[in-house]
Amino acid sequence: MSTDTQPAAETSGDTEDVAALRARVEELETELGEVKAEVGDDRKKMTIVATKGTFDMAYPPLILASTAAAFGWDVVVFHTFWGLDILHEEKSENLKLSAVGNPSMPMPDAVAALPFMDSMATRMMESKLDEQGTATIGELIELSLDTGVDLQACQMTMELMDYDEAEFYDEVTTGVGAATALEHMADADIQLLV
């Protein structure tokens, strides 16, 4: 007879233990949510607007974005107009360094304007980057995406240049409007125009 009453007591005790455990789990979830909210508030935010699509102008936003993301920052790079070519898989592999009007080019603009000079300047820069072991544009895009950078493609520019979503690197956020970009900029600690 005593064996019949013992399982009932254990069941009652088990129910109380389960209820206490559930209450403790809920309490811990609430505490974790509060901690996450506090940590989230301290996370720095950076927005970069990339407007140029030349070889030399692809590097600054990608280097800054991937570095900031490595520090744990929330980073968005909004690509618009010619900057959209950086995210275009085919075009990003053929970006050229513009020799004309570049004050750092060691040649007069009349020489820089010759038809072959952009290609020559690009090859020279690619050679220098390769010698230094610097990442390619494609590698920097992949690194940025891997570290959580939100690379965004401007919807208006996509329509203007007749680009399709499939032409961009995987994981690029396509179809982003100016209003969405402005929302992130308004909350960002750092805003850069490149």
Side-chain angles (χ1 to χ4, degrees):
M1 192 86 169
S2 63
T3 56
D4 290 337
T5 56
Q6 193 168 355
E10 286 178 11
T11 304
S12 175
D14 288 345
T15 304
E16 291 172 11
D17 289 343
V18 170
L21 184 59
R22 283 188 181 144
R24 182 65 180 140
V25 168
E26 287 177 15
E27 181 183 329
L28 290 172
E29 285 176 345
T30 302
E31 287 178 24
L32 180 61
E34 291 170 3
V35 168
K36 282 183 178 179
E38 288 176 24
V39 170
D41 291 341
D42 291 340
R43 189 173 178 202
K44 290 190 180 194
K45 292 183 178 182
M46 179 166 71
T47 300
I48 301 172
V49 179
T51 62
K52 296 175 178 62
T54 59
F55 182 83
D56 54 326
M57 294 308 293
Y59 276 87
L62 295 172
I63 291 170
L64 290 168
S66 58
T67 302
F71 285 132
W73 295 12
D74 174 17
V75 184
V76 168
V77 184
F78 180 71
H79 294 78
T80 187
F81 282 83
W82 304 120
L84 201 56
D85 287 350
I86 298 168
L87 300 180
H88 191 280
E89 280 194 85
E90 184 180 329
K91 291 184 180 280
S92 67
E93 293 179 11
N94 299 306
L95 298 178
K96 300 288 182 219
L97 176 65
S98 180
V100 177
N102 190 335
S104 296
M105 278 290 161
M107 65 182 82
D109 280 345
V111 175
L114 293 172
F116 59 88
M117 290 309 292
D118 284 353
S119 293
M120 188 173 110
T122 302
R123 279 195 302 274
M124 288 172 53
M125 182 58 79
E126 285 173 334
S127 176
K128 192 169 198 165
L129 290 167
D130 190 45
E131 286 173 17
Q132 297 297 318
T134 303
T136 65
I137 293 168
E139 291 169 339
L140 284 173
I141 289 170
E142 293 300 327
L143 175 64
S144 295
L145 291 168
D146 289 346
T147 56
V149 174
D150 186 6
L151 298 177
Q152 299 179 344
C154 173
Q155 177 65 40
M156 184 196 75
T157 307
M158 286 176 63
E159 292 170 5
L160 179 70
M161 299 199 180
D162 200 29
Y163 287 162
D164 187 79
E165 289 182 20
E167 297 173 317
F168 296 100
Y169 284 89
D170 293 340
E171 298 179 46
V172 166
T173 305
T174 56
V176 178
T180 301
L182 286 170
E183 282 180 28
H184 194 274
M185 287 180 219
D187 291 337
D189 300 296
I190 300 169
Q191 304 95 6
L192 302 172
L193 174 65
V194 180

